[in-house]
Amino acid sequence: MNTRVRFAPSPTGYLHIGSARTALFNYLFARHTGGKFLLRIEDTDLARSTSESTRSILEGLQWLGFAPDEEIVYQSNNAPKHREIALKLLNEGKAYRDFTPKAERGDGDVKAAIVERAREQKDMRDNPFRDLSKEESDAKAGAGEPFAIRLKVAANGKTSFEDAVYGLNERDYSETEDLVLLRSDGHPLYNLAVVCDDIEMQITHVIRGQDHLTNTHKQVLIYEALGEQPPIFGHLPLILAPNKGKLSKRKHGEVVSMTTYRDAGFLAAAFRNFLVLLGWSAGEEKEIYTFDELIKKFSLDHIHKNNAVFNFDANDPRHWTDDKAIWMNAEYVRTMPIADLLPFVKAELKSAKLWRD
Ligand code: GLU
């Protein structure tokens, strides 16, 4: 099999440490298997995506040295295709038009009253438009009534997949709502867009944070409706804040941004080495690896199931970031051949105006 993996960040902020680790694992997996590493910018959330974020993400990836093997895909360019596929599912009776007025529908951030109610009743299939005849549905649409398109999830059964990290994952259909594929304004929603693009890009392995597990079950349903074989999924443990809470840009600020480390003079090689140990180990004492060694050793079955912790103390300048990252960087600096170190020293001196060419 020619493996094809992708890193698919949403450009709603800078390259976060968790995303950088996802990119690294994808990159190592691609190199280890002789496959391709692709990059897809998921810029479909128009309200939150910015070109500034895209630039910052690309800069972070460039610093880390993860160049994509094919042209970057911008997800918003594929919206017409996503719409076409939603309509195909509608025509095949695998999806239906939901004419619920927008405020109630909750196909954006607002939780739909209808979904909420159904959740409480443990019945996710009580949408009054679910079983409208084709004629009735066509007539309403023909009369100009706005509608969203929802996937018709069967009442009985379960989605299941063998995760490369966490093993067998199953979820009863009854726990998943009839998910919205297309909003009434024609905007394709996240799960549809991801599945369509992963199929189009012939992705063989989806390696991403385990915060996407719920989405994965929804995506498996879309693959099933499309009659397509899902890729192999490998979910990664989370990287938590020191208090074991969520590590976030909003709460923790610059310490989670890749460009912070670049600008603080970290060596990219050292930072990659630090990152790889947040959720993976080769099962030996050794911690310092050349990149070639990592490529040789990396495998999905050595990814940890337990979440990793990124340790730092925002109130103590000596521990502004994880001690291990600082130690790792120092090790690299100490052991680097002088000739390799020289350009970095020059750059530092130049930025301090202590060197002129
Ligand atoms: N765009 C999603 C994110 O940034 C990732 C989607 C995926 O990897 O499937 O969390």
Side-chain angles (χ1 to χ4, degrees), residues 13-264:
Y14 43 64
L15 186 65
H16 174 284
I17 189 166
S19 309
R21 199 266 321 253
T22 300
L24 170 64
F25 283 15
N26 275 284
Y27 189 85
L28 288 173
F29 185 69
R31 292 290 91 96
H32 178 84
T33 54
K36 294 254 193 289
F37 169 76
L38 312 183
L39 177 60
R40 182 170 74 227
I41 302 290
E42 303 210 316
D43 55 349
T44 48
D45 184 342
L46 300 176
R48 294 174 61 225
S49 301
T50 65
S51 51
E52 170 63 23
S53 296
T54 301
R55 202 175 48 76
S56 172
I57 289 170
L58 296 180
E59 272 183 19
L61 291 175
Q62 192 188 18
W63 178 62
L64 288 165
F66 308 149
D69 296 316
E70 290 177 8
E71 224 171 285
I72 302 174
V73 172
Y74 288 85
Q75 188 160 64
S76 57
N77 291 340
N78 297 340
K81 234 178 251 162
H82 304 155
R83 274 193 279 280
E84 217 175 89
I85 290 174
L87 291 173
K88 174 178 124 76
L89 290 174
L90 176 66
N91 288 335
E92 291 172 356
K94 293 175 178 154
Y96 63 95
R97 294 188 187 96
D98 178 1
F99 296 94
T100 311
K102 199 169 185 322
E104 277 179 57
R105 203 184 300 127
D107 46 6
D109 286 339
V110 199
K111 269 268 175 294
I114 199 163
V115 171
E116 213 60 274
R117 195 161 14 96
R119 236 189 256 285
E120 281 162 20
Q121 297 165 356
K122 282 261 172 252
D123 172 12
M124 310 287 258
R125 312 276 172 265
D126 73 344
N127 190 305
F129 302 103
R130 190 172 203 268
D131 296 314
L132 224 54
S133 71
K134 184 174 178 340
E135 291 68 32
E136 275 174 297
S137 173
D138 286 351
K140 275 165 112 40
E145 269 194 55
F147 59 85
I149 296 183
R150 280 186 190 274
L151 189 69
K152 206 172 204 174
V153 180
N156 299 311
K158 60 186 174 196
T159 43
S160 102
F161 60 90
E162 190 66 34
D163 190 85
V165 177
Y166 289 93
L168 183 66
N169 245 278
E170 294 186 323
R171 182 160 303 178
D172 208 85
Y173 282 169
S174 64
E175 289 179 46
T176 305
E177 80 278 10
D178 284 347
L179 49 131
V180 177
L181 303 174
L182 206 65
R183 273 210 303 243
S184 57
D185 60 4
H187 188 86
L189 284 195
Y190 169 72
N191 285 304
L192 175 69
V194 168
V195 170
C196 293
D197 290 352
D198 282 342
I199 293 172
E200 173 89 11
M201 292 165 74
Q202 299 177 310
I203 299 302
T204 57
H205 295 72
V206 167
I207 303 169
R208 61 182 172 203
Q210 55 116 310
D211 47 331
H212 281 287
L213 271 170
T214 305
N215 283 328
T216 302
H217 284 283
K218 295 180 180 179
Q219 290 172 18
V220 167
L221 284 167
I222 301 177
Y223 280 103
E224 284 173 1
L226 291 172
E228 294 276 350
Q229 179 72 25
I232 293 169
F233 294 100
H235 289 86
L236 308 178
L238 302 178
I239 301 179
L240 303 176
N243 67 358
K244 311 279 188 321
K246 196 172 176 268
L247 188 65
S248 80
K249 312 173 198 180
R250 199 173 42 79
K251 254 201 243 147
H252 302 101
E254 298 296 307
V255 69
V256 300
S257 166
M258 259 336 85
T259 44
T260 299
Y261 296 90
R262 179 198 62 188
D263 299 344

